[in-house]
């Protein structure tokens, strides 16, 4: 029985006041200099955890005799790097940037070198997702410290839409409309252009290139634009405005996006992805998430769920912050209709089939090569799976398990920012290496699970192994139904009206089974740990649906 109590995660998120103040503290002097244009930010800072930090500590050029004195002549630059925060929050920075390249437990972890293809664990995955870029390259996840670099270096196709998770600069600029201007010439290797016979193309994005990103609220269409200093404009879309003068060019838009974020390589996502830099309070910057919450609530499966992050209770804030990335989303150019979209479904796996059919006519992802029909390509729905789980019901958020309390070298307790498996925190040898590398006090382990339980590590591992065994049955059935459906669609003999109806039933059953399996098994990173009961029930449903698809398809393939 869970014995958890709701933890004070809001307080744990709020960073303490800065102990080093190289700038001038927020005061009447800054109020006089900046208050006319930035009153709201100054007020938030004056009453928050950064009240003693001067504006010039994070904004180059913001000195009272610089931009404040000459707003038109002196531009202010935002320091997006973790280095901007580390003088006062060195412990948080060190733990965030730590990586041990280890897998502890049978699944998950952060082993990225050498790469671990997903197909090692799911040998029929490439058959199930035939024709998708992930069939070309899809590896097990690495540490947060390498998010942007890993995404940049992958050889499969990728899109600027996806970089919102990998880069705070892009996510913030996307939601605010603020342009990002490159500060240097940047050479970008287009890794996805490399073939067996040709080296990858290299382009140079010049200093002064201005990049903007956005998406439309009603139809979720991505609009990315890069203007070079010579006036050349590249876009992610076909421009209908002759005054815009843009040329649709995926490679140049991708190169401009990487150039604009190169100063934060390899991690990309910095402290201000989750912390408001003025008030130091928790925040979200991913616009698609804000829209989803406004439309469906913080947890659409709970009654009277608030429709804004600020109104959410603590357990939800601790999960929603991670949901900026750890969710199912439609992101990037569709392989069906070629449209570049940015959309959070904000729904559990069982609802995706109907939702995507109604919202996008099932055109949002890709065409399964063997079957020749559109399917759903799932992402990583940790937040959705956690909704209404036993841990969620007990008042536990992502933060409580993945950011346990640790002790710095000087004896100060703080939340670890090594967002890793709790198994690692509870492994004495693994934790000792982490503590030594980051300057923490050793000794007693943080053991986040033991705050509520006696040691249940082996029970959790046992559940994960049962989930993995169960999904193997579904995986095999999906591969079989894919082959059978493909045989039908490639046959020269046309289907009768009655046979078409049978085929549509088989296809729908396969689609539903696929959505459950890939969403909760391949894409979700806990192998059932986040909600064991829901996943086991879903696998039973997926097995039944895949079986129905096989039975119906067999009656047609043997005609």
């Amino acid at each position: 029985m869970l014995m958890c109590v709701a933890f004070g995660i809001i307080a744990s998120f709020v960073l303490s006041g800065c102990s080093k103040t190289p700038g001038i503290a927020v005061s009447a002097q800054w109020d006089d200099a900046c208050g006319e244009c930035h009153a709201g930010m100054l007020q938030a800072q004056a009453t928050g955890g950064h009240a003693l930090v001067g504006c010039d500590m994070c904004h180059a050029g913001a000195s009272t005799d610089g931009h404040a004195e000459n707003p038109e002549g002196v531009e202010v630059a935002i320091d997006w790097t973790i280095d901007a925060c580390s003088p006062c929050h060195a412990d948080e920075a060190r733990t965030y940037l730590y990586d041990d390249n280890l897998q502890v437990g049978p699944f998950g972890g952060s082993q990225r070198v050498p790469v671990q293809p997903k197909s090692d664990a799911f040998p029929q995955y490439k058959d199930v997702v035939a024709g998708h870029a992930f069939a070309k390259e899809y590896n097990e996840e690495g540490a947060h410290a390498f998010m942007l670099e890993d995404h940049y270096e992958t050889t499969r196709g990728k899109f600027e839409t996806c970089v919102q998770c990998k880069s705070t600069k892009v996510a913030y600029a996307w939601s605010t409309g603020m342009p990002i201007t490159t500060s240097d010439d940047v050479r970008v290797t287009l890794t996805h252009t490399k073939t067996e016979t040709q080296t990858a193309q290299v382009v140079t994005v010049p200093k002064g290139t201005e990049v903007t990103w956005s998406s439309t609220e009603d139809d979720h269409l991505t609009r990315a634009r890069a203007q070079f200093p010579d006036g050349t404009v590249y876009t992610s879309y076909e421009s209908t405005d002759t005054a815009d003068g843009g040329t649709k060019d995926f490679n140049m838009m991708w190169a401009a996006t990487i150039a604009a974020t190169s100063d934060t390589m390899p991690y990309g996502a910095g402290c201000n992805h989750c912390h408001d830099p003025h008030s130091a309070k928790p925040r979200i910057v991913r616009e698609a998430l804000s829209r989803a919450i406004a439309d469906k609530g913080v947890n659409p499966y709970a009654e009277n769920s608030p429709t804004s992050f600020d109104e959410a209770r603590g357990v939800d804030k601790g999960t929603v912050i991670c949901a900026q990335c750890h969710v199912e989303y439609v992101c990037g150019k569709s392989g069906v209709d070629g449209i570049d979209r940015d959309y959070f479904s904000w729904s559990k796996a069982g609802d995706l089939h109907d939702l995507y059919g109604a919202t996008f006519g099932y055109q949002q992802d890709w065409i399964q090569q063997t079957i020749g029909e559109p399917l759903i390509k799932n992402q990583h729905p940790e937040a959705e799976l956690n909704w209404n789980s036993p841990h969620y019901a007990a008042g536990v958020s992502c933060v409580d398990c993945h950011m346990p309390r640790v002790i710095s070298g000087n004896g100060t307790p703080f939340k670890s920012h090594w967002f890793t498996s709790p198994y690692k925190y509870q492994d004495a040898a693994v934790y000792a290496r982490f503590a030594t590398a980051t300057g923490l006090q050793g000794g007693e382990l943080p053991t986040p699970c033991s705050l509520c339980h006696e040691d249940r590590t082996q029970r959790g591992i046992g559940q994960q192994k049962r989930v993995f065994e169960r999904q193997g049955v579904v995986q095999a059935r999906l591969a079989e139904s894919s082959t059978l459906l493909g045989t039908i669609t490639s046959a020269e003999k046309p289907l009768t009206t009655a046979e078409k109806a049978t085929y549509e039933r088989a296809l729908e059953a396969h689609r539903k089974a696929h959505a459950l399996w890939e969403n909760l098994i391949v894409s979700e990173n806990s192998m059932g740990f986040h909600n064991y009961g829901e996943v086991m029930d879903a696998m039973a449903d997926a097995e039944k649906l895949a079986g129905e698809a096989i039975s119906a398809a067999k009656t047609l393939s043997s005609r």
Side-chain angles (χ1 to χ4, degrees):
M1 178 178 179
L2 290 174
M3 298 177 290
C4 297
V5 294
F7 303 137
I9 68 159
I10 300 178
S12 73
F13 261 120
V14 178
L15 300 176
S16 58
C18 189
S19 59
K20 301 177 182 178
T21 54
I24 303 172
V26 174
S27 62
Q29 182 176 7
W30 282 110
D31 188 50
D32 291 342
C34 308
E36 183 177 349
C37 301
H38 308 289
M41 294 177 180
L42 281 173
Q43 177 63 24
Q45 188 167 351
T47 57
H50 284 162
L52 299 180
V53 181
C55 305
D56 57 347
M57 186 170 182
C58 302
H59 296 283
S63 60
T64 52
D65 60 351
H67 175 76
E69 180 70 22
N70 182 12
E72 299 297 328
V74 180
E75 294 187 5
V76 169
I78 301 174
D79 190 340
W80 297 94
T81 67
I82 289 177
D83 289 343
C85 303
S86 60
C88 303
H89 304 289
D91 293 315
E92 288 84 356
R94 278 194 294 267
T95 56
Y96 179 72
L97 295 175
Y98 178 77
D99 176 35
D100 61 4
N101 197 47
L102 288 178
Q103 175 177 310
V104 177
F107 309 101
S110 60
Q111 186 175 330
R112 58 190 288 274
V113 181
V115 297
Q116 293 180 297
K118 285 278 190 178
S119 56
D120 287 354
F122 307 103
Q124 293 170 292
Y125 182 71
K126 292 185 178 182
D127 297 326
V128 176
V129 300
H132 195 277
F134 274 48
K136 176 183 179 182
E137 182 184 8
Y138 184 25
N139 301 320
E140 292 289 352
E141 63 279 1
H144 284 74
F146 299 99
M147 280 192 295
L148 182 58
E149 180 178 274
D150 283 349
H151 191 67
Y152 164 57
E153 290 186 347
T154 184
T155 59
R156 67 172 185 264
K158 52 253 176 144
F159 302 93
E160 64 281 341
T161 320
C162 308
V163 182
Q164 292 176 89
C165 280
K166 319 295 181 182
S167 167
T168 305
K169 290 177 74 171
V170 173
Y172 185 77
W174 201 292
S175 63
T176 62
M178 179 189 74
I180 298 292
T181 303
T182 58
S183 56
D184 294 292
D185 291 352
V186 180
R187 284 171 55 84
V188 178
T189 300
L190 302 174
T191 56
H192 60 281
T193 63
K194 183 179 179 180
T195 68
E196 293 182 357
T197 59
Q198 188 175 19
T199 59
Q201 298 176 35
V202 178
V203 299
T204 297
V205 179
K207 175 182 178 179
T209 297
E210 186 176 272
V211 194
T212 57
W213 307 267
S214 65
S215 55
T216 56
E217 186 167 2
D218 293 336
D219 49 14
H220 321 292
L221 303 182
T222 292
R223 292 288 183 266
R225 186 178 188 274
Q227 180 165 332
F228 282 28
D230 64 1
T232 303
V233 174
Y234 296 104
T235 65
S236 66
Y237 56 94
E238 295 288 355
S239 176
T240 57
D241 183 359
T242 55
D244 183 57
T247 300
K248 183 177 181 179
D249 190 313
F250 164 73
N251 284 346
M252 294 309 297
M253 268 312 313
W254 173 251
T257 297
I258 291 301
T261 59
S262 60
D263 58 324
T264 59
M265 197 72 78
Y267 52 84
C271 309
N272 53 353
H273 211 98
C274 304
H275 299 280
D276 185 297
H278 300 105
S279 69
K281 293 179 180 179
R283 75 164 181 184
I284 58 176
V285 294
R286 185 72 191 272
E287 185 174 35
L289 174 58
S290 297
R291 290 174 177 175
I293 290 173
D295 182 42
K296 296 185 175 183
V298 168
N299 177 355
Y301 294 85
E303 292 185 4
N304 303 315
S305 184
T307 54
S308 76
F309 175 79
D310 292 336
E311 296 172 358
R313 62 191 180 123
V315 63
D316 284 317
K317 281 188 175 179
T319 296
V320 167
I321 280 185
C322 300
Q324 295 186 94
C325 302
H326 291 270
V327 291
E328 154 62 14
Y329 49 69
V330 176
C331 177
K333 182 180 177 181
S334 165
V336 185
D337 59 18
I339 296 175
D340 193 354
R341 297 181 175 92
D342 180 32
Y343 173 73
F344 277 22
S345 64
W346 210 228
S347 301
K348 282 184 174 288
D351 295 326
L352 293 179
H353 175 79
D354 291 339
L355 175 67
Y356 286 156
T359 307
F360 301 118
Y362 240 73
Q363 304 294 294
Q364 74 290 333
D365 284 314
W366 106 106
I367 294 176
Q368 210 277 1
Q369 190 175 56
T370 304
I371 303 172
E373 299 279 4
L375 262 66
I376 294 173
K377 175 64 192 77
N378 289 277
Q379 271 57 245
H380 24 61
E382 282 79 42
E384 298 97 306
L385 184 57
N386 180 62
W387 288 333
N388 304 355
S389 66
H391 282 127
Y392 181 87
V396 180
S397 75
C398 310
V399 170
D400 297 310
C401 300
H402 295 278
M403 298 178 66
R405 179 179 177 272
V406 294
I407 307 298
S408 70
N410 63 12
T412 303
F414 70 100
K415 283 283 188 181
S416 172
H417 282 57
W418 184 32
F419 306 124
T420 193
S421 167
Y423 289 158
K424 289 190 177 184
Y425 283 110
Q426 300 192 166
D427 185 302
V430 171
Y431 183 75
R433 287 194 291 271
F434 167 60
T436 299
T438 58
L440 304 180
Q441 289 187 4
E444 186 176 352
L445 300 178
T447 57
C449 301
S450 66
L451 293 173
C452 303
H453 308 282
E454 295 178 356
D455 188 359
R456 293 193 182 183
T457 299
Q458 292 309 310
R459 176 179 172 179
I461 290 174
Q463 288 180 328
Q464 289 180 304
K465 288 181 176 179
R466 286 192 290 276
V467 168
F468 186 75
E469 181 180 356
R470 197 82 179 88
Q471 70 77 29
V473 176
V474 179
Q475 180 183 179
R477 290 197 170 193
L478 286 171
E480 182 181 358
S481 61
S482 296
T483 300
L484 289 169
L485 288 168
T487 300
I488 297 165
T489 55
S490 62
E492 293 183 6
K493 184 179 178 180
L495 297 174
T496 66
T497 300
E499 288 172 338
K500 285 181 180 178
T502 301
Y503 170 77
E504 289 298 329
R505 289 197 302 272
L507 176 62
E508 182 174 34
H510 178 90
R511 282 172 163 170
K512 289 180 177 180
H514 172 90
L516 291 172
W517 175 75
E518 194 187 359
N519 185 283
L520 297 174
I521 299 298
V522 184
S523 299
E524 209 279 335
N525 286 309
S526 74
M527 196 54 67
F529 188 93
H530 290 139
N531 199 334
Y532 175 73
E534 181 176 325
V535 172
M536 289 297 278
D537 288 346
M539 288 306 98
D541 291 341
E543 182 180 351
K544 179 181 177 181
L545 287 162
E548 292 173 359
I550 291 169
S551 296
K554 280 183 175 179
T555 66
L556 298 175
S557 60
S558 62
R559 66 196 175 97

